[in-house]
Amino acid sequence: MKALKLFSIAIIVMAITLGSCTGDDGETGPQGPQGVAGVDGMDGQDGHDGANGNANVQAFSVDVSDWAGGKILPFNIPDNIDKTKYAFLFYLESLNGEYVFPVPGASLDGSFNTTLFYSQTTEGEFGDAQISFFSSIDGTAFNMPPNVFGRVIIIAAEIGTASKNGFTDVLSELKASGVDLSDYHAVAAYFRLEI
């Protein structure tokens, strides 16, 4: 009798278990309320600082201290720069390193202005770049004496592949950050360049 009772209970439990697994499920009920947020874990250890600078921006110095003077200062952009993949900012530094001003632009004392030409593809007769000097009074060619400039500083910023106008993007980035493009030291500090 005990065996029959035990056998009957086992069949009833099996019938209930198998019977509850059949049939279609109903629709999903509504989303419940958001649970309480958990406690934040401990902060991890900081990594090591990287090297200063910007991998997409480089600075180059071209020595022009032996230039004999004149109305045009020719120079070459270093060969290791692909001129089609970079936007450039140019600066002239005095022979004694006391002042630096942008090219194109006006001299610090306002006595002359400069323009710049450079070829992206070929080297010209006197170089692949040249700075021309003009009087700020009447716009005529300005004959610069020798021993005024020590170097041309070139900041080359890589143009993004998705960018249609990389130069504008670099200028926009600098301007949006409040960097004065005519101030070489501010631009160099922004890009963490040392030259």
Side-chain angles (χ1 to χ4, degrees):
M1 179 92 158
K2 261 187 171 182
L4 183 60
K5 217 181 209 187
L6 189 58
F7 181 70
S8 298
I9 292 175
I11 289 185
I12 292 173
V13 169
M14 243 168 57
I16 291 172
T17 304
L18 293 175
S20 66
C21 291
T22 60
D24 293 332
D25 289 340
E27 289 186 30
T28 304
Q31 177 74 28
Q34 176 72 30
V36 178
V39 177
D40 285 344
M42 292 176 39
D43 287 342
Q45 184 179 7
D46 287 343
H48 297 286
D49 289 341
N52 286 340
N54 185 324
N56 299 326
V57 179
Q58 303 172 51
F60 300 91
S61 177
V62 178
D63 184 5
V64 294
S65 60
D66 61 352
W67 179 55
K71 298 173 185 171
I72 295 175
L73 169 60
F75 63 97
N76 287 312
I77 297 173
D79 291 333
N80 58 337
I81 303 174
D82 182 347
K83 292 180 279 253
T84 63
K85 294 182 180 179
Y86 286 86
F88 297 100
L89 295 172
F90 294 89
Y91 299 88
L92 265 174
E93 182 180 65
S94 64
L95 188 61
N96 62 7
E98 195 172 310
Y99 64 90
V100 180
F101 66 92
V103 175
S107 64
L108 295 179
D109 66 0
S111 62
F112 63 89
N113 294 318
T114 60
T115 60
L116 174 84
F117 167 79
Y118 77 93
S119 171
Q120 286 190 330
T121 56
T122 60
E123 190 171 305
E125 180 180 350
F126 300 107
D128 56 6
Q130 63 184 30
I131 298 171
S132 299
F133 301 93
F134 297 93
S135 167
S136 57
I137 295 170
D138 61 8
T140 59
F142 189 83
N143 198 7
M144 187 64 64
N147 302 317
V148 175
F149 303 113
R151 65 184 178 154
V152 175
I153 301 170
I154 304 168
I155 296 179
E158 189 173 9
I159 298 170
T161 54
S163 169
K164 291 183 181 175
N165 186 350
F167 186 66
T168 302
D169 292 346
V170 172
L171 293 179
S172 298
E173 177 184 338
L174 289 166
K175 288 178 182 177
S177 298
V179 178
D180 180 4
L181 295 176
S182 67
D183 182 352
Y184 161 72
H185 298 291
V187 173
Y190 177 80
F191 287 123
R192 292 181 261 158
L193 299 171
E194 293 179 19
I195 184 162

